[in-house]
Structure formats: structure tokens, C-alpha cells
Amino acid sequence: VVDCPGMMVGPEVEATGLVRHCARMFNTGANLSVPLLALIVRKAYGLGVQAMMGGSSLMPLQCATWPTGEFAGMGIEGAVKLGQRAELEKIKDPQERLSAYNNLVEAAYDRAKAANA
């Protein structure tokens, strides 16, 4: 059962050793030698989902999702903030910038749907 919204990053989190602890999960998942089945129940983001699915989301013999499942390389809001930073910074009006950000986030969530109708 997979529900992996990703790992937190940043100096505060890194001071707790989260990366070291997550590395254990990555190594364990990549070294599994049993058949894998995956059921995405909510979020399947980034390296965490790869670790839970044997090193790659392509590894399980079977992969299924609830209709609300999401696949993404990282948390969607963070991805929009990082990937669209230059575009958003060009917008001077704060309300217009917020509107553009919300539209980009909504579009990203739509693309992240694991099951398409």
C-alpha cells in the first residue's frame, strides 16, 4: 500500500538526519527480491514512492490506484514554486501573481492524477 507525499527538505529537516533514515528505506526497497504489488491510495511523490515500489514505479508486477491517487516528481505546490519561479516573479501585481500560481497548481494537480477518466 503506497501513500508517499514525499520527503521534507531544508536545513532544519536535514539536521534531524531524515535523509540518512530515508536512505535505509531506499536501499531496502531496491534490494527486495520478492514479487511486488503496489496500490496507490493517495500520493505517490518523488524518491519515496520509488523506494516503496522496489526502486522504480515500473518495478511492481501489478500497480493499481484509487481514483484519487496522484503521481508526481515532488510535492505539487513546491514543484510549481520552484519550476515556475521566474515566470511568477515577472508578475508585479500580488493578486495577479497569486491567481497565476493557483492556476498553475490546479493544472499540475490535473496532470498528476493517477487514474484518468
Side-chain angles (χ1 to χ4, degrees):
V1 178
V2 178
D3 181 10
C4 189
M7 296 186 310
M8 295 297 294
V9 295
E12 301 85 20
V13 175
E14 291 171 10
T16 68
L18 180 65
V19 173
R20 182 179 68 247
H21 297 299
C22 289
R24 291 184 191 127
M25 182 176 72
F26 300 152
N27 286 332
T28 301
N31 289 301
L32 291 174
S33 60
V34 296
L36 295 174
L37 304 171
L39 174 62
I40 311 297
V41 294
R42 197 172 64 106
K43 297 181 186 296
Y45 291 172
L47 292 173
V49 72
Q50 289 185 9
M52 293 184 74
M53 296 173 79
S56 169
S57 57
L58 303 175
M59 286 299 296
L61 292 174
Q62 192 109 56
C63 183
T65 182
W66 290 140
T68 56
E70 299 171 359
F71 275 98
M74 64 183 293
I76 291 177
E77 289 88 357
V80 169
K81 286 178 185 175
L82 287 173
Q84 304 296 326
R85 181 184 322 178
E87 179 182 323
L88 292 169
E89 286 176 348
K90 289 178 185 175
I91 302 171
K92 300 300 179 198
D93 179 34
Q95 288 299 102
E96 188 179 336
R97 184 181 313 123
L98 179 61
S99 178
Y101 169 77
N102 289 335
N103 290 337
L104 290 166
V105 168
E106 184 179 336
Y109 270 112
D110 194 46
R111 287 189 307 273
K113 290 180 182 176
N116 297 310

